[in-house]
Amino acid sequence: MKRRPAFDAAALPDQVWRGAFRLNLPSPAAQPPPDVDAAAHAHGARAGSSTITAPMPGTVIKVNVHEGSTVEAGDPLVVLEAMKMETPLLAPHDATVRNVHVEEGDRVAGGAVLVELDD
């Protein structure tokens, strides 16, 4: 007994692709580089201020600064433990600590603000 295919390809309407196809999408339009200063003002950042955020969820195991502390670029501000690794979060520039939002032992989500700095 001869088996018949489940459907007859010749009976398909013309709109259906019958062969191999490749999806070609146009390239996105060229964009100018982002304006960092405008982005800072759009997010409500004050001139001369910055925030240190948690790069991943974890536990704060050490806080090396307090409100009013003066820090230099590269000084460790907070040590975060995630996935059994300690990650020190460093000051990006010379600054004064405006606010510390965490204490040792706090569990934080990724992106949580830990420390705010002023120039």
Side-chain angles (χ1 to χ4, degrees):
M1 175 176 196
K2 186 175 180 183
R3 298 195 98 182
R4 300 178 116 203
F7 64 93
D8 183 12
L12 292 174
D14 290 336
Q15 299 93 329
V16 177
W17 294 329
R18 294 190 179 164
F21 68 93
R22 186 169 73 181
L23 183 60
N24 291 320
L25 297 175
S27 298
Q31 301 272 338
D35 182 4
V36 177
D37 293 329
H41 293 298
H43 293 297
R46 296 187 316 191
S49 69
S50 62
T51 57
I52 306 302
T53 59
M56 64 193 95
T59 304
V60 176
I61 60 171
K62 188 162 189 173
V63 178
N64 296 326
V65 295
H66 55 79
E67 190 173 326
S69 297
T70 302
V71 295
E72 295 179 7
D75 285 351
L77 304 174
V78 175
V79 179
L80 187 67
E81 180 185 37
M83 301 185 302
K84 298 184 180 182
M85 290 183 7
E86 293 182 6
T87 305
L89 302 177
L90 310 177
H93 51 80
D94 295 351
T96 302
V97 176
R98 180 176 3 136
N99 202 348
V100 178
H101 295 278
V102 293
E103 295 177 357
E104 292 180 9
D106 287 353
R107 296 184 72 180
V108 295
V113 176
L114 306 177
V115 178
E116 294 180 47
L117 303 174
D118 278 333
D119 277 346

